[in-house]
């Protein structure tokens, strides 16, 4: 199913979830520094770059495209960290990958068009920054501790991915994480 909006087409899966993709962009394979971008709606807040999939687009291709548009970076696509479902206000199903940054553009689409900024954070600092306004994005980073880094599993090329030079490391079947904010218990 598709829904058209000015300048974009939203795609939904059979269960009514908006199809999204994102990347945790790392400075190196150590995965200790992650790149966040300023929110288009709230420029003083940081988010993980990602967005909606185009019709017929594979999740890995959408993730690479989104980080190029939003963060102005290119890199080596890594493993699928998980598939995160967010049901609070909007039904989103987001495929989250890792990406090792190999190139950073000085000017990129969202920096020119909407003044988006980017900044490197230590992973624990990024979790703190994201927790208050984007807890599901903080959960992406928490998931890192439950997966191995790209050096612990074989690399294979994905022929179905429309990001031509990307490589994906698969260390286990994709994990679907149903996200529900933590509530204080009495």
């Amino acid at each position: 199913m598709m829904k058209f909006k000015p300048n974009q087409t939203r795609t939904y899966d059979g269960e009514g979830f908006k199809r999204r993709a994102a990347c945790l962009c790392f400075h190196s394979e150590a995965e200790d520094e992650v790149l966040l971008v300023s929110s288009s709606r709230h420029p003083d807040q940081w988010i993980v770059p990602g967005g909606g999939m185009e019709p017929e687009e594979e999740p890995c291709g959408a993730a690479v495209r989104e980080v190029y548009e939003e963060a102005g970076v290119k890199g080596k696509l890594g493993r699928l960290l998980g598939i995160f479902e967010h049901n609070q206000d909007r039904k989103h199903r987001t495929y989250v990958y890792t990406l090792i940054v190999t190139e950073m553009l000085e000017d990129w689409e969202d920096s020119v068009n909407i003044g988006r900024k980017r900044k490197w954070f230590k992973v624990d600092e990024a979790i703190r920054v994201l927790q208050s306004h984007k807890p599901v994005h903080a959960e992406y980073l928490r998931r890192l501790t439950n997966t191995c880094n790209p050096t612990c599993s074989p690399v294979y090329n994905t022929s179905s991915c429309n990001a031509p030079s990307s490589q994906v490391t698969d260390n286990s079947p994709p994990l679907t994480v149903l996200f529900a904010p933590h509530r204080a218990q009495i």
Side-chain angles (χ1 to χ4, degrees):
M1 175 168 88
M2 289 184 278
K3 185 188 273 184
F4 295 97
K5 243 187 126 177
N7 301 326
Q8 86 182 89
T9 302
R10 294 184 174 179
T11 58
Y12 295 82
D13 65 18
E15 297 175 73
F17 284 87
K18 182 179 177 190
R19 299 176 68 229
R20 299 184 77 255
C23 283
L24 294 177
C25 300
F26 294 104
H27 203 275
S28 71
E29 295 206 14
E31 295 182 351
D32 56 354
E33 283 188 303
V34 65
L35 188 68
L36 300 181
V37 297
S38 57
S39 168
S40 60
R41 290 189 183 103
H42 307 283
D44 59 328
Q45 296 178 344
W46 298 99
I47 61 171
V48 171
M53 288 188 230
E54 299 291 332
E56 309 301 319
E57 190 174 35
E58 294 294 327
C60 54
V64 169
R65 177 184 52 75
E66 284 292 335
V67 299
Y68 182 73
E69 291 172 4
E70 291 190 0
V73 299
K74 294 181 181 181
K76 179 182 157 196
L77 187 66
R79 69 196 180 282
L80 174 62
L81 193 59
I83 303 166
F84 294 77
E85 294 179 358
H86 187 230
N87 298 312
Q88 287 297 100
D89 45 357
R90 296 177 238 169
K91 288 175 69 171
H92 290 166
R93 185 169 282 149
T94 306
Y95 293 75
V96 180
Y97 294 86
T98 61
L99 182 128
I100 306 302
V101 174
T102 58
E103 182 182 344
M104 293 182 73
L105 302 176
E106 195 168 313
D107 295 309
W108 66 98
E109 185 176 333
D110 278 7
S111 73
V112 172
N113 294 340
I114 62 172
R116 193 181 300 264
K117 300 192 178 348
R118 62 185 175 206
K119 181 179 175 183
W120 292 104
F121 290 85
K122 294 288 186 188
V123 169
D124 57 344
E125 182 186 1
I127 290 171
R128 281 194 305 275
V129 164
L130 294 167
Q131 186 57 50
S132 62
H133 65 280
K134 285 289 187 184
V136 73
H137 289 199
E139 193 61 33
Y140 303 164
L141 288 163
R142 283 193 197 92
R143 175 74 178 116
L144 277 175
T145 61
N146 299 327
T147 64
C148 60
N149 67 24
T151 60
C152 70
S153 61
V155 174
Y156 67 92
N157 290 321
T158 61
S159 57
S160 65
C161 182
N162 51 1
S165 63
S166 299
Q167 292 181 321
V168 175
T169 304
D170 186 22
N171 58 324
S172 64
L175 171 71
T176 299
V177 178
L178 300 174
F179 179 74
H182 299 354
R183 296 181 188 257
Q185 295 186 0
I186 301 172

